[in-house]
């Protein structure tokens, strides 16, 4: 896939994928195999820094995050959490790392295989599209540990699959297959176990081939729909639409159509 090592990390592997004719794809692979990619705090910081580095890099158009065949991530690190008291949790506020993960502006695609549980599923739901291998298993089993989802699970799952099924998932800890979650609307597509990463990267390249300013504003508008009224959201969309008329790619896109040629995006 034309990957190259980006920088040294302990729990993740970061690389870039060339995409001739478009912007590159940034790839983050969770790599903590002995713990099924359980999300300890250092791993989450590495993911956050990698996301932010890609977000600031003008050569990157789309980000893919993946795990291993066996597990995207089996949740937050239970052994780490078992040691933390309420007061320590509150004062250290290490989980605030999730707030920065939430603010990434470029599109992120999750390439999931195996377990995406608890915080793992929350990291997946923070992504903008989800490509899942047939063998994937999704769930919020926190209830079995005496806790509840803490990184947006109660909110994002409910918005994605509705109250009735979200209640079932979170109150019983049930694990769902990729097919079930696809039918419930959480997942963009279910693909073969052998090709899930290539399929996710192909989708990322497709997005990275589009004009970057419009892509970014489109993501912003879609996410806005989750925390505003329809009136406010439509106004937000219209202002961003007007804003795009100041972009070089709006001129290029429309001229290319009129001149019956392919546009050459400047991502400006
Ligand atoms: N944490 C730590 N280690 C884990 C782990 C986890 N979540 N999941 C698996 N591991 C470790 C196992 O302990 C085992 O390590 P060793 O015993 O070999 O040292 C190794 O990974 C292999 O796991 P298993 O032997 O259990 O493998 P199996 O194939 O038999 O079972 C499994 C796979 C995924 C069914 C099982 O490992 C499992 O049930 N794992 C736990 C799943 C779970 O309950 N996940 C939810 C965790 S709670 C917050 C943000 C987020 C969160 C909370 C707050 N804030 C922002 C405030 C999130 C909370 C959670 O995710």
């Amino acid at each position: 896939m034309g990957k190259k090592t980006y920088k040294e990390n302990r729990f993740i592997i970061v690389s870039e994928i060339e995409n001739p004719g478009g912007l590159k794809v940034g790839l983050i692979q969770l790599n903590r195999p002995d713990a099924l990619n359980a999300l300890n705090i250092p791993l989450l910081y590495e993911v956050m820094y990698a996301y932010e580095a890609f977000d600031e890099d003008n050569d990157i158009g789309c980000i893919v995050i993946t795990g291993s065949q066996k597990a995207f991530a089996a949740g937050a690190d239970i052994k780490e959490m078992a040691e933390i008291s309420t007061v320590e949790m509150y004062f250290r506020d290490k989980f605030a790392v999730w707030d920065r993960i939430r603010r990434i502006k470029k599109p992120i695609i999750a390439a999931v295989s195996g377990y995406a549980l608890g915080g793992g599923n929350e990291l997946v739901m923070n992504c903008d599209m989800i490509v899942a291998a047939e063998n994937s298993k999704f769930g919020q089993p926190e209830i079995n540990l005496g806790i509840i989802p803490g990184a947006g699970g109660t909110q994002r799952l409910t918005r994605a699959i509705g109250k009735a099924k979200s209640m079932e998932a979170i109150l019983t800890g049930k694990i769902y297959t990729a097919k079930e979650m696809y039918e419930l609307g959480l997942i963009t597509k279910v693909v073969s176990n052998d090709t899930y990463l290539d399929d996710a990267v192909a989708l990322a390249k497709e997005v990275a081939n589009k004009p970057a300013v419009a892509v970014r504003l489109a993501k912003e508008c879609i996410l806005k729909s989750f925390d505003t009224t329809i009136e406010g959201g439509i106004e937000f969309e219209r202002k961003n639409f007007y804003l795009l008329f100041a972009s070089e790619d709006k001129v290029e896109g429309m001229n290319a159509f009129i001149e019956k040629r392919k546009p050459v995006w400047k991502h400006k």
Side-chain angles (χ1 to χ4, degrees):
M1 284 191 298
K3 293 181 231 159
K4 72 172 186 189
T5 303
Y6 198 78
K7 74 175 188 191
E8 292 305 317
N9 281 291
R10 199 165 147 219
F11 297 117
I12 65 172
I13 299 166
V14 182
S15 57
E16 294 175 9
I17 300 170
E18 297 297 332
N19 181 26
L23 292 173
K24 288 189 263 190
V25 171
L27 178 65
I28 299 170
Q29 182 166 17
L30 308 183
N31 185 35
R32 202 186 163 205
D34 49 336
L36 301 183
N37 292 330
L39 308 169
N40 61 11
I41 299 289
L43 181 152
L44 283 168
Y45 270 84
E46 288 182 11
V47 169
M48 176 198 78
Y49 285 127
Y51 270 164
E52 289 185 349
F54 283 144
D55 220 21
E56 281 169 21
D57 185 340
N58 288 340
D59 293 334
I60 299 288
C62 191
I63 303 166
V64 173
I65 183 162
T66 193
S68 66
Q69 289 267 349
K70 178 155 188 201
F72 177 85
D77 190 321
I78 299 167
K79 293 165 193 168
E80 188 183 60
M81 282 191 295
E83 304 291 317
I84 311 179
S85 70
T86 303
V87 172
E88 208 183 336
M89 189 79 131
Y90 184 66
F91 279 121
R92 283 168 65 210
D93 201 18
K94 291 278 187 190
F95 283 87
V97 61
W98 285 94
D99 295 335
R100 279 169 71 176
I101 287 176
R102 185 159 50 87
R103 288 194 199 106
I104 300 304
K105 295 196 164 63
K106 284 183 186 159
I108 310 173
I109 298 174
V112 181
S113 173
Y115 297 107
L117 303 180
N121 195 35
E122 289 173 308
L123 190 58
V124 165
M125 290 191 292
N126 180 69
C127 297
D128 303 303
M129 288 188 268
I130 303 168
V131 175
E134 285 163 342
N135 72 1
S136 311
K137 295 176 191 71
F138 298 86
Q140 299 291 158
E142 289 91 339
I143 200 82
N144 299 323
L145 300 168
I147 57 171
I148 63 171
T154 60
Q155 305 304 299
R156 286 208 180 94
L157 192 64
T158 308
R159 280 165 167 81
I161 70 174
K163 175 184 161 189
K165 294 309 277 187
S166 187
M167 285 282 185
E168 178 189 57
I170 292 169
L171 271 48
T172 71
K174 178 180 168 179
I175 307 299
Y176 297 80
T177 63
K179 184 171 175 283
E180 285 171 314
M181 273 305 184
Y182 175 75
E183 282 162 4
L184 289 170
L186 183 76
I187 292 170
T188 311
K189 54 180 160 181
V190 182
V191 296
S192 129
N193 294 341
D194 299 329
T195 63
Y196 72 98
L197 183 54
D198 288 339
D199 291 331
V201 168
L203 182 59
K205 284 183 176 176
E206 203 180 328
V207 175
N209 285 339
K210 304 294 179 195
V213 188
V215 165
R216 188 162 164 157
L217 287 176
K219 167 169 171 167
E220 226 178 277
C221 286
I222 293 165
L223 292 184
K224 191 75 179 173
S225 73
F226 291 112
D227 59 21
T228 188
T229 59
I230 185 84
E231 198 64 27
I234 288 171
E235 238 170 71
F236 185 81
E237 178 193 80
R238 188 174 309 132
K239 285 199 176 134
N240 281 309
F241 180 85
Y242 292 157
L243 187 61
L244 282 166
F245 276 59
S247 75
E248 292 181 29
D249 284 339
K250 173 261 173 190
V251 177
E252 170 62 9
M254 295 197 182
N255 284 345
F257 175 80
I258 292 163
E259 292 160 16
K260 298 188 187 302
R261 60 174 175 82
K262 270 187 81 176
V264 182
W265 304 122
K266 293 182 181 155
H267 306 292
K268 286 179 181 168

Short mmCIF file of all heavy atoms in Angstrom, two decimals, residues 34-36 38 70 74-79 81 95 98 115 117-119 122 141-142 145 147 150-151, ligand 1:
data_model
loop_
_atom_site.label_atom_id
_atom_site.label_comp_id
_atom_site.label_asym_id
_atom_site.label_seq_id
_atom_site.Cartn_x
_atom_site.Cartn_y
_atom_site.Cartn_z
N ASP A 34 -0.89 -7.87 23.25
CA ASP A 34 -1.02 -8.69 24.47
C ASP A 34 -2.24 -8.31 25.29
O ASP A 34 -2.66 -9.04 26.18
CB ASP A 34 0.26 -8.59 25.33
CG ASP A 34 0.69 -7.15 25.55
OD1 ASP A 34 0.33 -6.29 24.73
OD2 ASP A 34 1.37 -6.89 26.56
N ALA A 35 -2.87 -7.16 25.01
CA ALA A 35 -4.06 -6.75 25.76
C ALA A 35 -5.22 -6.43 24.83
O ALA A 35 -6.11 -5.64 25.17
CB ALA A 35 -3.73 -5.54 26.63
N LEU A 36 -5.24 -7.07 23.66
CA LEU A 36 -6.31 -6.85 22.67
C LEU A 36 -6.55 -5.36 22.42
O LEU A 36 -7.68 -4.89 22.32
CB LEU A 36 -7.61 -7.53 23.10
CG LEU A 36 -7.56 -9.06 23.30
CD1 LEU A 36 -8.94 -9.60 23.66
CD2 LEU A 36 -7.03 -9.77 22.07
N ALA A 38 -6.32 -2.89 24.38
CA ALA A 38 -7.02 -2.14 25.44
C ALA A 38 -6.42 -0.73 25.50
O ALA A 38 -5.20 -0.54 25.40
CB ALA A 38 -6.87 -2.86 26.77
N LYS A 70 -7.84 -9.64 15.36
CA LYS A 70 -8.60 -10.14 16.51
C LYS A 70 -9.35 -9.03 17.24
O LYS A 70 -10.43 -9.27 17.79
CB LYS A 70 -7.67 -10.89 17.48
CG LYS A 70 -8.45 -11.37 18.69
CD LYS A 70 -7.89 -12.56 19.41
CE LYS A 70 -8.89 -13.01 20.47
NZ LYS A 70 -8.37 -13.79 21.53
N ALA A 74 -10.45 -3.83 22.80
CA ALA A 74 -11.39 -4.49 23.72
C ALA A 74 -11.82 -3.57 24.86
O ALA A 74 -12.25 -4.04 25.91
CB ALA A 74 -10.77 -5.77 24.27
N GLY A 75 -11.66 -2.27 24.67
CA GLY A 75 -12.16 -1.32 25.67
C GLY A 75 -11.08 -0.54 26.34
O GLY A 75 -9.88 -0.72 26.03
N ALA A 76 -11.49 0.33 27.27
CA ALA A 76 -10.50 1.01 28.09
C ALA A 76 -9.78 -0.06 28.91
O ALA A 76 -10.29 -1.17 29.09
CB ALA A 76 -11.19 2.01 29.00
N ASP A 77 -8.57 0.27 29.38
CA ASP A 77 -7.76 -0.71 30.11
C ASP A 77 -8.34 -0.91 31.51
O ASP A 77 -8.21 -0.05 32.38
CB ASP A 77 -6.31 -0.21 30.18
CG ASP A 77 -5.39 -1.30 30.69
OD1 ASP A 77 -5.80 -2.03 31.62
OD2 ASP A 77 -4.27 -1.43 30.17
N ILE A 78 -8.97 -2.08 31.70
CA ILE A 78 -9.66 -2.36 32.97
C ILE A 78 -8.66 -2.42 34.12
O ILE A 78 -8.92 -1.94 35.23
CB ILE A 78 -10.45 -3.68 32.87
CG1 ILE A 78 -11.51 -3.57 31.76
CG2 ILE A 78 -11.11 -4.03 34.19
CD1 ILE A 78 -12.15 -4.90 31.36
N LYS A 79 -7.46 -2.98 33.84
CA LYS A 79 -6.46 -3.11 34.92
C LYS A 79 -5.98 -1.73 35.36
O LYS A 79 -5.74 -1.49 36.54
CB LYS A 79 -5.29 -3.98 34.43
CG LYS A 79 -5.73 -5.43 34.21
CD LYS A 79 -4.74 -6.24 33.39
CE LYS A 79 -5.36 -7.55 32.94
NZ LYS A 79 -4.58 -8.26 31.92
N MET A 81 -7.83 1.09 35.06
CA MET A 81 -8.95 1.77 35.72
C MET A 81 -9.18 1.24 37.14
O MET A 81 -9.61 1.98 38.02
CB MET A 81 -10.24 1.59 34.91
CG MET A 81 -10.33 2.51 33.71
SD MET A 81 -11.98 2.49 32.97
CE MET A 81 -12.12 0.82 32.39
N PHE A 95 -8.72 11.32 31.34
CA PHE A 95 -9.65 10.95 30.29
C PHE A 95 -10.07 12.14 29.44
O PHE A 95 -10.75 11.99 28.44
CB PHE A 95 -10.89 10.26 30.89
CG PHE A 95 -10.64 8.83 31.30
CD1 PHE A 95 -10.14 8.52 32.55
CD2 PHE A 95 -10.87 7.80 30.41
CE1 PHE A 95 -9.90 7.21 32.92
CE2 PHE A 95 -10.63 6.49 30.77
CZ PHE A 95 -10.14 6.19 32.04
N TRP A 98 -9.92 12.39 25.58
CA TRP A 98 -11.02 12.10 24.66
C TRP A 98 -11.58 13.39 24.03
O TRP A 98 -12.10 13.37 22.92
CB TRP A 98 -12.14 11.35 25.37
CG TRP A 98 -11.84 9.91 25.63
CD1 TRP A 98 -11.32 9.37 26.76
CD2 TRP A 98 -12.05 8.80 24.74
NE1 TRP A 98 -11.19 8.01 26.64
CE2 TRP A 98 -11.63 7.62 25.41
CE3 TRP A 98 -12.55 8.68 23.43
CZ2 TRP A 98 -11.69 6.36 24.83
CZ3 TRP A 98 -12.61 7.41 22.85
CH2 TRP A 98 -12.18 6.28 23.55
N TYR A 115 -12.97 -7.50 18.04
CA TYR A 115 -13.70 -6.79 19.10
C TYR A 115 -13.58 -5.27 19.02
O TYR A 115 -12.47 -4.74 18.90
CB TYR A 115 -13.18 -7.23 20.47
CG TYR A 115 -13.39 -8.70 20.77
CD1 TYR A 115 -12.33 -9.59 20.77
CD2 TYR A 115 -14.66 -9.18 21.06
CE1 TYR A 115 -12.54 -10.95 21.03
CE2 TYR A 115 -14.88 -10.52 21.32
CZ TYR A 115 -13.82 -11.40 21.30
OH TYR A 115 -14.02 -12.73 21.57
N LEU A 117 -15.15 -3.02 21.69
CA LEU A 117 -15.98 -3.05 22.90
C LEU A 117 -15.70 -1.84 23.79
O LEU A 117 -14.57 -1.36 23.85
CB LEU A 117 -15.69 -4.32 23.70
CG LEU A 117 -15.88 -5.66 22.97
CD1 LEU A 117 -15.56 -6.83 23.90
CD2 LEU A 117 -17.31 -5.79 22.44
N GLY A 118 -16.74 -1.40 24.50
CA GLY A 118 -16.56 -0.32 25.47
C GLY A 118 -15.92 0.90 24.84
O GLY A 118 -16.37 1.41 23.82
N GLY A 119 -14.80 1.34 25.45
CA GLY A 119 -14.07 2.50 24.90
C GLY A 119 -13.60 2.24 23.47
O GLY A 119 -13.43 3.18 22.69
N GLU A 122 -16.37 3.20 21.44
CA GLU A 122 -16.49 4.67 21.50
C GLU A 122 -15.46 5.34 20.59
O GLU A 122 -15.74 6.34 19.95
CB GLU A 122 -16.36 5.14 22.95
CG GLU A 122 -17.59 4.74 23.78
CD GLU A 122 -17.43 5.03 25.26
OE1 GLU A 122 -16.42 4.59 25.84
OE2 GLU A 122 -18.31 5.68 25.83
N PRO A 141 -20.05 -3.24 26.96
CA PRO A 141 -20.26 -4.16 28.09
C PRO A 141 -19.91 -3.57 29.45
O PRO A 141 -19.78 -4.32 30.42
CB PRO A 141 -19.32 -5.32 27.74
CG PRO A 141 -18.21 -4.69 26.98
CD PRO A 141 -18.78 -3.50 26.26
N GLU A 142 -19.75 -2.24 29.55
CA GLU A 142 -19.31 -1.62 30.81
C GLU A 142 -20.20 -2.00 32.00
O GLU A 142 -19.75 -2.07 33.13
CB GLU A 142 -19.30 -0.09 30.67
CG GLU A 142 -18.19 0.46 29.79
CD GLU A 142 -18.59 0.62 28.34
OE1 GLU A 142 -19.57 -0.03 27.89
OE2 GLU A 142 -17.93 1.41 27.64
N LEU A 145 -19.08 -4.36 34.47
CA LEU A 145 -17.98 -3.97 35.36
C LEU A 145 -18.47 -2.99 36.43
O LEU A 145 -17.69 -2.42 37.18
CB LEU A 145 -16.87 -3.27 34.53
CG LEU A 145 -16.22 -4.09 33.42
CD1 LEU A 145 -15.38 -3.17 32.53
CD2 LEU A 145 -15.36 -5.20 33.99
N ILE A 147 -19.89 -0.10 35.71
CA ILE A 147 -19.77 1.29 35.24
C ILE A 147 -20.65 1.47 33.99
O ILE A 147 -21.38 0.55 33.61
CB ILE A 147 -18.30 1.69 34.94
CG1 ILE A 147 -17.66 0.75 33.91
CG2 ILE A 147 -17.49 1.72 36.23
CD1 ILE A 147 -16.29 1.20 33.41
N GLY A 150 -18.15 5.98 29.12
CA GLY A 150 -17.69 7.28 29.62
C GLY A 150 -17.10 8.18 28.56
O GLY A 150 -16.67 9.29 28.84
N ALA A 151 -17.05 7.71 27.31
CA ALA A 151 -16.45 8.53 26.25
C ALA A 151 -17.48 8.77 25.14
O ALA A 151 -17.18 8.68 23.95
CB ALA A 151 -15.20 7.87 25.69
N1 LIG B 1 -8.50 -4.08 29.63
C1 LIG B 1 -7.34 -4.67 29.99
N2 LIG B 1 -6.93 -5.85 29.52
C2 LIG B 1 -7.74 -6.49 28.65
C3 LIG B 1 -8.97 -5.93 28.21
C4 LIG B 1 -9.34 -4.64 28.74
N3 LIG B 1 -10.43 -4.01 28.36
N4 LIG B 1 -9.53 -6.80 27.34
C5 LIG B 1 -8.70 -7.83 27.23
N5 LIG B 1 -7.62 -7.65 28.01
C6 LIG B 1 -6.49 -8.55 28.19
C7 LIG B 1 -6.86 -9.76 29.04
O1 LIG B 1 -6.79 -9.44 30.42
C8 LIG B 1 -5.81 -10.76 28.61
O2 LIG B 1 -4.60 -10.43 29.25
P1 LIG B 1 -3.74 -11.59 30.03
O3 LIG B 1 -4.66 -12.21 30.99
O4 LIG B 1 -3.33 -12.52 28.91
O5 LIG B 1 -2.60 -10.84 30.62
C9 LIG B 1 -5.64 -10.45 27.12
O6 LIG B 1 -6.11 -9.12 26.95
C10 LIG B 1 -6.44 -11.37 26.22
O7 LIG B 1 -7.78 -11.32 26.64
P2 LIG B 1 -8.65 -12.63 26.94
O8 LIG B 1 -7.80 -13.75 27.41
O9 LIG B 1 -9.78 -12.22 27.81
O10 LIG B 1 -9.16 -12.97 25.46
P3 LIG B 1 -10.47 -13.74 25.04
O11 LIG B 1 -10.34 -13.97 23.58
O12 LIG B 1 -10.71 -14.93 25.92
O13 LIG B 1 -11.69 -12.72 25.32
C11 LIG B 1 -12.77 -10.56 25.23
C12 LIG B 1 -11.79 -11.54 24.54
C13 LIG B 1 -12.73 -9.25 24.43
C14 LIG B 1 -14.18 -11.14 25.17
C15 LIG B 1 -12.36 -10.35 26.72
O14 LIG B 1 -10.99 -10.02 26.75
C16 LIG B 1 -13.12 -9.24 27.39
O15 LIG B 1 -14.28 -9.40 27.79
N6 LIG B 1 -12.47 -8.07 27.57
C17 LIG B 1 -13.04 -6.95 28.30
C18 LIG B 1 -14.09 -6.25 27.47
C19 LIG B 1 -14.72 -5.08 28.23
O16 LIG B 1 -15.35 -5.29 29.28
N7 LIG B 1 -14.55 -3.89 27.70
C20 LIG B 1 -15.06 -2.66 28.33
C21 LIG B 1 -14.03 -2.08 29.26
S1 LIG B 1 -14.62 -0.65 30.16
C22 LIG B 1 -14.06 7.08 29.86
C23 LIG B 1 -13.80 6.66 28.59
C24 LIG B 1 -13.92 5.34 28.25
C25 LIG B 1 -14.28 4.40 29.20
C26 LIG B 1 -14.53 4.82 30.48
C27 LIG B 1 -14.42 6.15 30.82
N8 LIG B 1 -13.99 8.47 30.22
C28 LIG B 1 -13.64 9.45 29.17
C29 LIG B 1 -14.28 8.94 31.49
C30 LIG B 1 -14.39 3.02 28.78
C31 LIG B 1 -14.58 1.96 29.60
C32 LIG B 1 -14.43 0.61 29.06
O17 LIG B 1 -14.12 0.40 27.92
#
